[in-house]
Amino acid sequence: MLMARVQKGAHAAFDQLVERHLRPIHAYSYRLCRSRTDADDLAQETFLKVWQRAETWQAGPVRVSTWLHRIAHNTFIDAWRRRDNAEPLDDENAIDLPAEDGAADSQKNTAAEISKALDTLPLNQRTAVALSLINGFSMEETAVIMGLTPHAVESLIARARRALRKHAEHAYRKESQAP
Amino acid sequence: MNLNTFLDLLDQYGPEPANWPEAERESMLALLQDSPEAARELAISRDIASELALLEHSVTPGLKGRIVALAAAHQPSPFDRFFDQFLGWLTAAFWRPALLSVAPLALGTLLGMALPATSSDTEPSLDIAGLLLDEVYTHYE
């Protein structure tokens, strides 16, 4: 068990843990922060907390990756609450926003286009999509990470899917109207 | 089924028919045969789902080395380790039911110790009643 060795303070085990989980944690951090520098800081803080508080980990039904994402999530939310001009956690009005002009200029609905559309979603919806549809967590695991009920996560994902669909529709329409 | 209901269910359950609720699946599939609009929305949803699943992400070069070096410089103190170990033991799943069942007993004991004894409550009351009765008798005598 890798975590058991990390709990005993084994540097090699911690190195292995970072190697194994840094990419998904950094990807998730990037979805939350929308900035590479902030994502670097968040991932770094997350792993430092893991190292210093490794004793709080208990083997059980929760996977290590779920536990790590929960630490990253809580670390981000703490920092986000301290910010004065924080973006709204879940802005209902943002759901039906049309695609940005820059997005419509694109010739194809590429991954970059989807990524850009994802960044326009309110924080809570973006978080649920990043965990469930990108990082592959189940509804229950996503709920554990976000500290919500599975039903609330389902609702966030449904609203995000609708917003992304409308965004894509808008981009397709622009594309078909282009000369 | 109309298009709006179809879109609501599509957003809720995603583009894979296998994930659609059994009670609605046939109506949704039937609508897909009749409505080009529904088929187009399903195709868009499928595109989005596959693009999301394939989103690539690269970690900033050198970040892993920075994290490992930082951890080496921030070794947790033995006190922190002991405290976290104790906290972990206290909240372990095995102990939770036991702690939960002991909680009412502990609360009752604490309340019992905090409140004054019942006998000392009633005795002064009887004394006051006696004095009042004495006063009434004296008045009528």
Side-chain angles (χ1 to χ4, degrees), chain A residues 16-31 36 39 43 47 68-69 130 134-136, chain B residues 52-60 63-64 67:
Chain A
Q16 219 177 320
L17 185 83
V18 177
E19 178 71 39
R20 198 176 288 178
H21 295 280
L22 180 58
R23 204 195 64 78
I25 288 292
H26 192 266
Y28 177 58
S29 303
Y30 179 72
R31 286 289 152 218
R36 191 161 269 277
F47 280 104
L68 292 175
H69 278 77
I134 300 176
N135 283 19
Chain B
L52 284 174
L54 293 174
L55 272 182
E56 299 227 333
H57 183 83
S58 57
V59 174
T60 310
L63 181 61
K64 189 201 150 196
I67 292 171

PDB file of all heavy atoms in Angstrom, chain A residues 16-31 36 39 43 47 68-69 130 134-136, chain B residues 52-60 63-64 67:
ATOM      1  N   GLN A  16       6.439   8.577  -5.674  1.00  0.00           N
ATOM      2  CA  GLN A  16       5.607   7.694  -6.505  1.00  0.00           C
ATOM      3  C   GLN A  16       4.145   8.178  -6.535  1.00  0.00           C
ATOM      4  O   GLN A  16       3.497   8.156  -7.573  1.00  0.00           O
ATOM      5  CB  GLN A  16       5.662   6.296  -5.897  1.00  0.00           C
ATOM      6  CG  GLN A  16       5.733   5.171  -6.916  1.00  0.00           C
ATOM      7  CD  GLN A  16       5.857   3.835  -6.204  1.00  0.00           C
ATOM      8  OE1 GLN A  16       6.581   3.718  -5.196  1.00  0.00           O
ATOM      9  NE2 GLN A  16       5.162   2.833  -6.695  1.00  0.00           N
ATOM     10  N   LEU A  17       3.685   8.617  -5.366  1.00  0.00           N
ATOM     11  CA  LEU A  17       2.305   9.120  -5.257  1.00  0.00           C
ATOM     12  C   LEU A  17       2.125  10.361  -6.142  1.00  0.00           C
ATOM     13  O   LEU A  17       1.115  10.485  -6.849  1.00  0.00           O
ATOM     14  CB  LEU A  17       2.004   9.477  -3.789  1.00  0.00           C
ATOM     15  CG  LEU A  17       0.573   9.905  -3.493  1.00  0.00           C
ATOM     16  CD1 LEU A  17      -0.330   8.697  -3.296  1.00  0.00           C
ATOM     17  CD2 LEU A  17       0.506  10.770  -2.247  1.00  0.00           C
ATOM     18  N   VAL A  18       3.103  11.259  -6.087  1.00  0.00           N
ATOM     19  CA  VAL A  18       3.030  12.477  -6.904  1.00  0.00           C
ATOM     20  C   VAL A  18       3.074  12.102  -8.384  1.00  0.00           C
ATOM     21  O   VAL A  18       2.285  12.615  -9.184  1.00  0.00           O
ATOM     22  CB  VAL A  18       4.179  13.458  -6.542  1.00  0.00           C
ATOM     23  CG1 VAL A  18       4.151  14.685  -7.437  1.00  0.00           C
ATOM     24  CG2 VAL A  18       4.093  13.874  -5.076  1.00  0.00           C
ATOM     25  N   GLU A  19       3.952  11.195  -8.724  1.00  0.00           N
ATOM     26  CA  GLU A  19       4.092  10.731 -10.120  1.00  0.00           C
ATOM     27  C   GLU A  19       2.744  10.202 -10.639  1.00  0.00           C
ATOM     28  O   GLU A  19       2.331  10.511 -11.740  1.00  0.00           O
ATOM     29  CB  GLU A  19       5.159   9.624 -10.157  1.00  0.00           C
ATOM     30  CG  GLU A  19       5.386   8.997 -11.515  1.00  0.00           C
ATOM     31  CD  GLU A  19       6.084   9.924 -12.492  1.00  0.00           C
ATOM     32  OE1 GLU A  19       6.998  10.642 -12.040  1.00  0.00           O
ATOM     33  OE2 GLU A  19       5.714   9.943 -13.686  1.00  0.00           O
ATOM     34  N   ARG A  20       2.079   9.436  -9.787  1.00  0.00           N
ATOM     35  CA  ARG A  20       0.846   8.777 -10.198  1.00  0.00           C
ATOM     36  C   ARG A  20      -0.337   9.748 -10.284  1.00  0.00           C
ATOM     37  O   ARG A  20      -1.192   9.599 -11.150  1.00  0.00           O
ATOM     38  CB  ARG A  20       0.522   7.665  -9.172  1.00  0.00           C
ATOM     39  CG  ARG A  20      -0.449   6.630  -9.680  1.00  0.00           C
ATOM     40  CD  ARG A  20      -0.644   5.540  -8.658  1.00  0.00           C
ATOM     41  NE  ARG A  20       0.509   4.651  -8.530  1.00  0.00           N
ATOM     42  CZ  ARG A  20       0.577   3.646  -7.667  1.00  0.00           C
ATOM     43  NH1 ARG A  20      -0.429   3.418  -6.840  1.00  0.00           N
ATOM     44  NH2 ARG A  20       1.638   2.878  -7.610  1.00  0.00           N
ATOM     45  N   HIS A  21      -0.403  10.712  -9.377  1.00  0.00           N
ATOM     46  CA  HIS A  21      -1.620  11.535  -9.281  1.00  0.00           C
ATOM     47  C   HIS A  21      -1.460  12.994  -9.703  1.00  0.00           C
ATOM     48  O   HIS A  21      -2.441  13.729  -9.686  1.00  0.00           O
ATOM     49  CB  HIS A  21      -2.161  11.487  -7.841  1.00  0.00           C
ATOM     50  CG  HIS A  21      -2.621  10.119  -7.427  1.00  0.00           C
ATOM     51  ND1 HIS A  21      -3.846   9.597  -7.796  1.00  0.00           N
ATOM     52  CD2 HIS A  21      -2.012   9.149  -6.708  1.00  0.00           C
ATOM     53  CE1 HIS A  21      -3.974   8.384  -7.305  1.00  0.00           C
ATOM     54  NE2 HIS A  21      -2.879   8.083  -6.630  1.00  0.00           N
ATOM     55  N   LEU A  22      -0.256  13.420 -10.039  1.00  0.00           N
ATOM     56  CA  LEU A  22      -0.071  14.844 -10.348  1.00  0.00           C
ATOM     57  C   LEU A  22      -0.867  15.295 -11.573  1.00  0.00           C
ATOM     58  O   LEU A  22      -1.491  16.362 -11.539  1.00  0.00           O
ATOM     59  CB  LEU A  22       1.421  15.172 -10.532  1.00  0.00           C
ATOM     60  CG  LEU A  22       1.735  16.643 -10.859  1.00  0.00           C
ATOM     61  CD1 LEU A  22       1.205  17.577  -9.781  1.00  0.00           C
ATOM     62  CD2 LEU A  22       3.243  16.863 -11.019  1.00  0.00           C
ATOM     63  N   ARG A  23      -0.875  14.481 -12.621  1.00  0.00           N
ATOM     64  CA  ARG A  23      -1.559  14.917 -13.848  1.00  0.00           C
ATOM     65  C   ARG A  23      -3.058  15.160 -13.615  1.00  0.00           C
ATOM     66  O   ARG A  23      -3.550  16.247 -13.905  1.00  0.00           O
ATOM     67  CB  ARG A  23      -1.333  13.926 -14.996  1.00  0.00           C
ATOM     68  CG  ARG A  23      -1.502  14.564 -16.372  1.00  0.00           C
ATOM     69  CD  ARG A  23      -1.641  13.509 -17.453  1.00  0.00           C
ATOM     70  NE  ARG A  23      -2.827  12.700 -17.292  1.00  0.00           N
ATOM     71  CZ  ARG A  23      -4.046  13.095 -17.627  1.00  0.00           C
ATOM     72  NH1 ARG A  23      -4.240  14.271 -18.169  1.00  0.00           N
ATOM     73  NH2 ARG A  23      -5.088  12.323 -17.415  1.00  0.00           N
ATOM     74  N   PRO A  24      -3.806  14.185 -13.059  1.00  0.00           N
ATOM     75  CA  PRO A  24      -5.241  14.478 -12.818  1.00  0.00           C
ATOM     76  C   PRO A  24      -5.471  15.611 -11.822  1.00  0.00           C
ATOM     77  O   PRO A  24      -6.403  16.399 -11.993  1.00  0.00           O
ATOM     78  CB  PRO A  24      -5.809  13.153 -12.286  1.00  0.00           C
ATOM     79  CG  PRO A  24      -4.651  12.295 -11.959  1.00  0.00           C
ATOM     80  CD  PRO A  24      -3.502  12.760 -12.771  1.00  0.00           C
ATOM     81  N   ILE A  25      -4.629  15.709 -10.793  1.00  0.00           N
ATOM     82  CA  ILE A  25      -4.808  16.787  -9.811  1.00  0.00           C
ATOM     83  C   ILE A  25      -4.515  18.145 -10.463  1.00  0.00           C
ATOM     84  O   ILE A  25      -5.244  19.118 -10.249  1.00  0.00           O
ATOM     85  CB  ILE A  25      -3.891  16.566  -8.572  1.00  0.00           C
ATOM     86  CG1 ILE A  25      -4.397  15.404  -7.717  1.00  0.00           C
ATOM     87  CG2 ILE A  25      -3.751  17.832  -7.718  1.00  0.00           C
ATOM     88  CD1 ILE A  25      -5.728  15.655  -6.996  1.00  0.00           C
ATOM     89  N   HIS A  26      -3.487  18.192 -11.294  1.00  0.00           N
ATOM     90  CA  HIS A  26      -3.145  19.448 -11.965  1.00  0.00           C
ATOM     91  C   HIS A  26      -4.226  19.816 -12.984  1.00  0.00           C
ATOM     92  O   HIS A  26      -4.612  20.983 -13.093  1.00  0.00           O
ATOM     93  CB  HIS A  26      -1.771  19.337 -12.637  1.00  0.00           C
ATOM     94  CG  HIS A  26      -1.227  20.644 -13.088  1.00  0.00           C
ATOM     95  ND1 HIS A  26      -1.405  21.116 -14.369  1.00  0.00           N
ATOM     96  CD2 HIS A  26      -0.547  21.619 -12.432  1.00  0.00           C
ATOM     97  CE1 HIS A  26      -0.828  22.311 -14.479  1.00  0.00           C
ATOM     98  NE2 HIS A  26      -0.307  22.643 -13.310  1.00  0.00           N
ATOM     99  N   ALA A  27      -4.740  18.821 -13.698  1.00  0.00           N
ATOM    100  CA  ALA A  27      -5.807  19.072 -14.678  1.00  0.00           C
ATOM    101  C   ALA A  27      -7.043  19.618 -13.968  1.00  0.00           C
ATOM    102  O   ALA A  27      -7.681  20.574 -14.427  1.00  0.00           O
ATOM    103  CB  ALA A  27      -6.144  17.785 -15.426  1.00  0.00           C
ATOM    104  N   TYR A  28      -7.369  19.004 -12.839  1.00  0.00           N
ATOM    105  CA  TYR A  28      -8.532  19.459 -12.064  1.00  0.00           C
ATOM    106  C   TYR A  28      -8.292  20.874 -11.530  1.00  0.00           C
ATOM    107  O   TYR A  28      -9.184  21.735 -11.601  1.00  0.00           O
ATOM    108  CB  TYR A  28      -8.797  18.472 -10.919  1.00  0.00           C
ATOM    109  CG  TYR A  28      -9.940  18.878 -10.018  1.00  0.00           C
ATOM    110  CD1 TYR A  28     -11.214  19.082 -10.540  1.00  0.00           C
ATOM    111  CD2 TYR A  28      -9.752  19.082  -8.654  1.00  0.00           C
ATOM    112  CE1 TYR A  28     -12.263  19.471  -9.728  1.00  0.00           C
ATOM    113  CE2 TYR A  28     -10.796  19.455  -7.838  1.00  0.00           C
ATOM    114  CZ  TYR A  28     -12.045  19.652  -8.376  1.00  0.00           C
ATOM    115  OH  TYR A  28     -13.085  20.044  -7.575  1.00  0.00           O
ATOM    116  N   SER A  29      -7.088  21.112 -11.012  1.00  0.00           N
ATOM    117  CA  SER A  29      -6.742  22.440 -10.490  1.00  0.00           C
ATOM    118  C   SER A  29      -6.853  23.493 -11.594  1.00  0.00           C
ATOM    119  O   SER A  29      -7.337  24.596 -11.364  1.00  0.00           O
ATOM    120  CB  SER A  29      -5.312  22.448  -9.943  1.00  0.00           C
ATOM    121  OG  SER A  29      -5.174  21.465  -8.961  1.00  0.00           O
ATOM    122  N   TYR A  30      -6.427  23.111 -12.792  1.00  0.00           N
ATOM    123  CA  TYR A  30      -6.468  24.049 -13.919  1.00  0.00           C
ATOM    124  C   TYR A  30      -7.918  24.383 -14.273  1.00  0.00           C
ATOM    125  O   TYR A  30      -8.246  25.530 -14.580  1.00  0.00           O
ATOM    126  CB  TYR A  30      -5.747  23.447 -15.131  1.00  0.00           C
ATOM    127  CG  TYR A  30      -5.778  24.355 -16.330  1.00  0.00           C
ATOM    128  CD1 TYR A  30      -5.019  25.518 -16.367  1.00  0.00           C
ATOM    129  CD2 TYR A  30      -6.592  24.068 -17.429  1.00  0.00           C
ATOM    130  CE1 TYR A  30      -5.064  26.372 -17.453  1.00  0.00           C
ATOM    131  CE2 TYR A  30      -6.641  24.915 -18.521  1.00  0.00           C
ATOM    132  CZ  TYR A  30      -5.877  26.058 -18.529  1.00  0.00           C
ATOM    133  OH  TYR A  30      -5.932  26.905 -19.611  1.00  0.00           O
ATOM    134  N   ARG A  31      -8.807  23.392 -14.201  1.00  0.00           N
ATOM    135  CA  ARG A  31     -10.227  23.633 -14.486  1.00  0.00           C
ATOM    136  C   ARG A  31     -10.829  24.572 -13.452  1.00  0.00           C
ATOM    137  O   ARG A  31     -11.696  25.375 -13.757  1.00  0.00           O
ATOM    138  CB  ARG A  31     -11.010  22.321 -14.499  1.00  0.00           C
ATOM    139  CG  ARG A  31     -10.783  21.484 -15.706  1.00  0.00           C
ATOM    140  CD  ARG A  31     -11.411  22.088 -16.954  1.00  0.00           C
ATOM    141  NE  ARG A  31     -10.660  21.673 -18.126  1.00  0.00           N
ATOM    142  CZ  ARG A  31     -10.402  22.425 -19.185  1.00  0.00           C
ATOM    143  NH1 ARG A  31     -10.861  23.667 -19.244  1.00  0.00           N
ATOM    144  NH2 ARG A  31      -9.713  21.974 -20.190  1.00  0.00           N
ATOM    145  N   ARG A  36      -2.691  28.551 -15.415  1.00  0.00           N
ATOM    146  CA  ARG A  36      -1.670  27.520 -15.213  1.00  0.00           C
ATOM    147  C   ARG A  36      -0.844  27.787 -13.940  1.00  0.00           C
ATOM    148  O   ARG A  36      -0.541  26.868 -13.181  1.00  0.00           O
ATOM    149  CB  ARG A  36      -0.766  27.460 -16.453  1.00  0.00           C
ATOM    150  CG  ARG A  36       0.146  26.279 -16.486  1.00  0.00           C
ATOM    151  CD  ARG A  36       0.652  26.014 -17.872  1.00  0.00           C
ATOM    152  NE  ARG A  36      -0.213  25.089 -18.596  1.00  0.00           N
ATOM    153  CZ  ARG A  36      -0.141  23.770 -18.481  1.00  0.00           C
ATOM    154  NH1 ARG A  36       0.743  23.230 -17.681  1.00  0.00           N
ATOM    155  NH2 ARG A  36      -0.937  22.981 -19.150  1.00  0.00           N
ATOM    156  N   ALA A  39      -2.900  26.934 -11.001  1.00  0.00           N
ATOM    157  CA  ALA A  39      -3.053  25.466 -10.939  1.00  0.00           C
ATOM    158  C   ALA A  39      -1.783  24.831 -10.365  1.00  0.00           C
ATOM    159  O   ALA A  39      -1.864  23.890  -9.566  1.00  0.00           O
ATOM    160  CB  ALA A  39      -3.352  24.905 -12.320  1.00  0.00           C
ATOM    161  N   ALA A  43      -1.882  22.630  -6.982  1.00  0.00           N
ATOM    162  CA  ALA A  43      -1.401  21.236  -6.971  1.00  0.00           C
ATOM    163  C   ALA A  43      -0.285  21.080  -5.930  1.00  0.00           C
ATOM    164  O   ALA A  43      -0.255  20.102  -5.171  1.00  0.00           O
ATOM    165  CB  ALA A  43      -0.911  20.845  -8.363  1.00  0.00           C
ATOM    166  N   PHE A  47      -0.429  18.603  -2.563  1.00  0.00           N
ATOM    167  CA  PHE A  47       0.494  17.513  -2.254  1.00  0.00           C
ATOM    168  C   PHE A  47       1.286  17.771  -0.963  1.00  0.00           C
ATOM    169  O   PHE A  47       1.608  16.835  -0.243  1.00  0.00           O
ATOM    170  CB  PHE A  47       1.425  17.240  -3.434  1.00  0.00           C
ATOM    171  CG  PHE A  47       0.755  16.413  -4.498  1.00  0.00           C
ATOM    172  CD1 PHE A  47       0.316  16.990  -5.673  1.00  0.00           C
ATOM    173  CD2 PHE A  47       0.529  15.055  -4.309  1.00  0.00           C
ATOM    174  CE1 PHE A  47      -0.328  16.229  -6.649  1.00  0.00           C
ATOM    175  CE2 PHE A  47      -0.118  14.283  -5.272  1.00  0.00           C
ATOM    176  CZ  PHE A  47      -0.538  14.879  -6.444  1.00  0.00           C
ATOM    177  N   LEU A  68      -7.470  12.751  -2.562  1.00  0.00           N
ATOM    178  CA  LEU A  68      -6.580  13.809  -3.061  1.00  0.00           C
ATOM    179  C   LEU A  68      -7.378  14.931  -3.729  1.00  0.00           C
ATOM    180  O   LEU A  68      -7.104  16.120  -3.507  1.00  0.00           O
ATOM    181  CB  LEU A  68      -5.587  13.233  -4.090  1.00  0.00           C
ATOM    182  CG  LEU A  68      -4.530  12.269  -3.576  1.00  0.00           C
ATOM    183  CD1 LEU A  68      -3.725  11.698  -4.726  1.00  0.00           C
ATOM    184  CD2 LEU A  68      -3.597  12.980  -2.604  1.00  0.00           C
ATOM    185  N   HIS A  69      -8.373  14.556  -4.526  1.00  0.00           N
ATOM    186  CA  HIS A  69      -9.196  15.575  -5.195  1.00  0.00           C
ATOM    187  C   HIS A  69      -9.999  16.379  -4.172  1.00  0.00           C
ATOM    188  O   HIS A  69     -10.225  17.565  -4.362  1.00  0.00           O
ATOM    189  CB  HIS A  69     -10.131  14.932  -6.225  1.00  0.00           C
ATOM    190  CG  HIS A  69      -9.471  14.650  -7.540  1.00  0.00           C
ATOM    191  ND1 HIS A  69      -8.620  13.590  -7.726  1.00  0.00           N
ATOM    192  CD2 HIS A  69      -9.493  15.316  -8.723  1.00  0.00           C
ATOM    193  CE1 HIS A  69      -8.169  13.601  -8.984  1.00  0.00           C
ATOM    194  NE2 HIS A  69      -8.684  14.645  -9.594  1.00  0.00           N
ATOM    195  N   ALA A 130     -15.623  18.694 -14.566  1.00  0.00           N
ATOM    196  CA  ALA A 130     -14.199  18.305 -14.522  1.00  0.00           C
ATOM    197  C   ALA A 130     -14.028  16.980 -13.789  1.00  0.00           C
ATOM    198  O   ALA A 130     -13.281  16.106 -14.236  1.00  0.00           O
ATOM    199  CB  ALA A 130     -13.383  19.393 -13.845  1.00  0.00           C
ATOM    200  N   ILE A 134     -14.653  14.540 -17.071  1.00  0.00           N
ATOM    201  CA  ILE A 134     -13.261  14.561 -17.561  1.00  0.00           C
ATOM    202  C   ILE A 134     -12.386  13.592 -16.764  1.00  0.00           C
ATOM    203  O   ILE A 134     -11.737  12.721 -17.324  1.00  0.00           O
ATOM    204  CB  ILE A 134     -12.670  15.991 -17.508  1.00  0.00           C
ATOM    205  CG1 ILE A 134     -13.507  16.935 -18.399  1.00  0.00           C
ATOM    206  CG2 ILE A 134     -11.208  15.982 -17.962  1.00  0.00           C
ATOM    207  CD1 ILE A 134     -13.087  18.377 -18.354  1.00  0.00           C
ATOM    208  N   ASN A 135     -12.407  13.719 -15.434  1.00  0.00           N
ATOM    209  CA  ASN A 135     -11.533  12.852 -14.630  1.00  0.00           C
ATOM    210  C   ASN A 135     -12.152  11.475 -14.325  1.00  0.00           C
ATOM    211  O   ASN A 135     -11.498  10.627 -13.740  1.00  0.00           O
ATOM    212  CB  ASN A 135     -11.139  13.559 -13.322  1.00  0.00           C
ATOM    213  CG  ASN A 135     -10.057  14.598 -13.554  1.00  0.00           C
ATOM    214  OD1 ASN A 135      -9.845  15.052 -14.671  1.00  0.00           O
ATOM    215  ND2 ASN A 135      -9.356  14.985 -12.499  1.00  0.00           N
ATOM    216  N   GLY A 136     -13.412  11.299 -14.721  1.00  0.00           N
ATOM    217  CA  GLY A 136     -14.026   9.975 -14.672  1.00  0.00           C
ATOM    218  C   GLY A 136     -14.517   9.494 -13.316  1.00  0.00           C
ATOM    219  O   GLY A 136     -14.681   8.294 -13.113  1.00  0.00           O
TER     220      GLY A 136
ATOM    221  N   LEU B  52     -14.815  15.940 -24.274  1.00  0.00           N
ATOM    222  CA  LEU B  52     -14.483  16.099 -22.847  1.00  0.00           C
ATOM    223  C   LEU B  52     -13.618  14.937 -22.361  1.00  0.00           C
ATOM    224  O   LEU B  52     -12.648  15.136 -21.625  1.00  0.00           O
ATOM    225  CB  LEU B  52     -15.752  16.174 -21.998  1.00  0.00           C
ATOM    226  CG  LEU B  52     -16.538  17.491 -22.028  1.00  0.00           C
ATOM    227  CD1 LEU B  52     -17.837  17.345 -21.254  1.00  0.00           C
ATOM    228  CD2 LEU B  52     -15.724  18.650 -21.466  1.00  0.00           C
ATOM    229  N   ALA B  53     -13.993  13.733 -22.800  1.00  0.00           N
ATOM    230  CA  ALA B  53     -13.243  12.551 -22.350  1.00  0.00           C
ATOM    231  C   ALA B  53     -11.821  12.545 -22.902  1.00  0.00           C
ATOM    232  O   ALA B  53     -10.931  11.950 -22.311  1.00  0.00           O
ATOM    233  CB  ALA B  53     -13.984  11.288 -22.778  1.00  0.00           C
ATOM    234  N   LEU B  54     -11.634  13.231 -24.046  1.00  0.00           N
ATOM    235  CA  LEU B  54     -10.314  13.198 -24.684  1.00  0.00           C
ATOM    236  C   LEU B  54      -9.476  14.450 -24.405  1.00  0.00           C
ATOM    237  O   LEU B  54      -8.382  14.574 -24.943  1.00  0.00           O
ATOM    238  CB  LEU B  54     -10.478  13.037 -26.201  1.00  0.00           C
ATOM    239  CG  LEU B  54     -11.046  11.691 -26.662  1.00  0.00           C
ATOM    240  CD1 LEU B  54     -11.310  11.700 -28.156  1.00  0.00           C
ATOM    241  CD2 LEU B  54     -10.088  10.549 -26.313  1.00  0.00           C
ATOM    242  N   LEU B  55     -10.014  15.350 -23.593  1.00  0.00           N
ATOM    243  CA  LEU B  55      -9.261  16.583 -23.309  1.00  0.00           C
ATOM    244  C   LEU B  55      -7.885  16.237 -22.756  1.00  0.00           C
ATOM    245  O   LEU B  55      -7.765  15.488 -21.793  1.00  0.00           O
ATOM    246  CB  LEU B  55     -10.006  17.442 -22.279  1.00  0.00           C
ATOM    247  CG  LEU B  55     -11.049  18.427 -22.804  1.00  0.00           C
ATOM    248  CD1 LEU B  55     -11.639  19.226 -21.660  1.00  0.00           C
ATOM    249  CD2 LEU B  55     -10.472  19.375 -23.854  1.00  0.00           C
ATOM    250  N   GLU B  56      -6.880  16.759 -23.374  1.00  0.00           N
ATOM    251  CA  GLU B  56      -5.509  16.439 -22.941  1.00  0.00           C
ATOM    252  C   GLU B  56      -5.022  17.511 -21.983  1.00  0.00           C
ATOM    253  O   GLU B  56      -5.442  18.664 -22.073  1.00  0.00           O
ATOM    254  CB  GLU B  56      -4.606  16.378 -24.157  1.00  0.00           C
ATOM    255  CG  GLU B  56      -5.048  15.301 -25.139  1.00  0.00           C
ATOM    256  CD  GLU B  56      -3.910  14.458 -25.614  1.00  0.00           C
ATOM    257  OE1 GLU B  56      -2.787  14.963 -25.614  1.00  0.00           O
ATOM    258  OE2 GLU B  56      -4.159  13.289 -25.966  1.00  0.00           O
ATOM    259  N   HIS B  57      -4.169  17.097 -21.093  1.00  0.00           N
ATOM    260  CA  HIS B  57      -3.622  18.072 -20.159  1.00  0.00           C
ATOM    261  C   HIS B  57      -2.161  17.740 -19.896  1.00  0.00           C
ATOM    262  O   HIS B  57      -1.837  16.591 -19.609  1.00  0.00           O
ATOM    263  CB  HIS B  57      -4.409  18.068 -18.851  1.00  0.00           C
ATOM    264  CG  HIS B  57      -3.929  19.105 -17.902  1.00  0.00           C
ATOM    265  ND1 HIS B  57      -4.336  20.414 -17.977  1.00  0.00           N
ATOM    266  CD2 HIS B  57      -3.050  19.046 -16.886  1.00  0.00           C
ATOM    267  CE1 HIS B  57      -3.722  21.107 -17.043  1.00  0.00           C
ATOM    268  NE2 HIS B  57      -2.933  20.299 -16.364  1.00  0.00           N
ATOM    269  N   SER B  58      -1.337  18.751 -20.005  1.00  0.00           N
ATOM    270  CA  SER B  58       0.080  18.502 -19.706  1.00  0.00           C
ATOM    271  C   SER B  58       0.456  19.272 -18.447  1.00  0.00           C
ATOM    272  O   SER B  58       0.040  20.410 -18.245  1.00  0.00           O
ATOM    273  CB  SER B  58       0.956  18.937 -20.873  1.00  0.00           C
ATOM    274  OG  SER B  58       0.727  20.301 -21.146  1.00  0.00           O
ATOM    275  N   VAL B  59       1.218  18.598 -17.608  1.00  0.00           N
ATOM    276  CA  VAL B  59       1.659  19.206 -16.346  1.00  0.00           C
ATOM    277  C   VAL B  59       2.837  20.138 -16.635  1.00  0.00           C
ATOM    278  O   VAL B  59       3.665  19.841 -17.503  1.00  0.00           O
ATOM    279  CB  VAL B  59       2.056  18.094 -15.346  1.00  0.00           C
ATOM    280  CG1 VAL B  59       2.652  18.681 -14.078  1.00  0.00           C
ATOM    281  CG2 VAL B  59       0.861  17.234 -15.020  1.00  0.00           C
ATOM    282  N   THR B  60       2.900  21.254 -15.915  1.00  0.00           N
ATOM    283  CA  THR B  60       4.005  22.199 -16.080  1.00  0.00           C
ATOM    284  C   THR B  60       5.340  21.482 -15.841  1.00  0.00           C
ATOM    285  O   THR B  60       5.496  20.833 -14.801  1.00  0.00           O
ATOM    286  CB  THR B  60       3.848  23.350 -15.061  1.00  0.00           C
ATOM    287  OG1 THR B  60       2.511  23.835 -15.167  1.00  0.00           O
ATOM    288  CG2 THR B  60       4.830  24.472 -15.312  1.00  0.00           C
ATOM    289  N   LEU B  63       7.326  20.711 -12.283  1.00  0.00           N
ATOM    290  CA  LEU B  63       6.434  20.872 -11.115  1.00  0.00           C
ATOM    291  C   LEU B  63       6.598  19.715 -10.128  1.00  0.00           C
ATOM    292  O   LEU B  63       6.653  19.935  -8.909  1.00  0.00           O
ATOM    293  CB  LEU B  63       4.973  20.986 -11.562  1.00  0.00           C
ATOM    294  CG  LEU B  63       3.946  21.181 -10.451  1.00  0.00           C
ATOM    295  CD1 LEU B  63       4.193  22.476  -9.674  1.00  0.00           C
ATOM    296  CD2 LEU B  63       2.518  21.180 -10.992  1.00  0.00           C
ATOM    297  N   LYS B  64       6.694  18.507 -10.663  1.00  0.00           N
ATOM    298  CA  LYS B  64       6.823  17.351  -9.765  1.00  0.00           C
ATOM    299  C   LYS B  64       8.073  17.477  -8.885  1.00  0.00           C
ATOM    300  O   LYS B  64       8.004  17.262  -7.669  1.00  0.00           O
ATOM    301  CB  LYS B  64       6.885  16.055 -10.582  1.00  0.00           C
ATOM    302  CG  LYS B  64       6.794  14.824  -9.711  1.00  0.00           C
ATOM    303  CD  LYS B  64       7.333  13.601 -10.385  1.00  0.00           C
ATOM    304  CE  LYS B  64       7.896  12.682  -9.322  1.00  0.00           C
ATOM    305  NZ  LYS B  64       8.762  11.657  -9.864  1.00  0.00           N
ATOM    306  N   ILE B  67       7.536  19.960  -6.110  1.00  0.00           N
ATOM    307  CA  ILE B  67       6.668  19.439  -5.036  1.00  0.00           C
ATOM    308  C   ILE B  67       7.455  18.502  -4.118  1.00  0.00           C
ATOM    309  O   ILE B  67       7.385  18.614  -2.887  1.00  0.00           O
ATOM    310  CB  ILE B  67       5.426  18.723  -5.633  1.00  0.00           C
ATOM    311  CG1 ILE B  67       4.508  19.738  -6.314  1.00  0.00           C
ATOM    312  CG2 ILE B  67       4.663  17.955  -4.562  1.00  0.00           C
ATOM    313  CD1 ILE B  67       3.378  19.126  -7.123  1.00  0.00           C
TER     314      ILE B  67
END
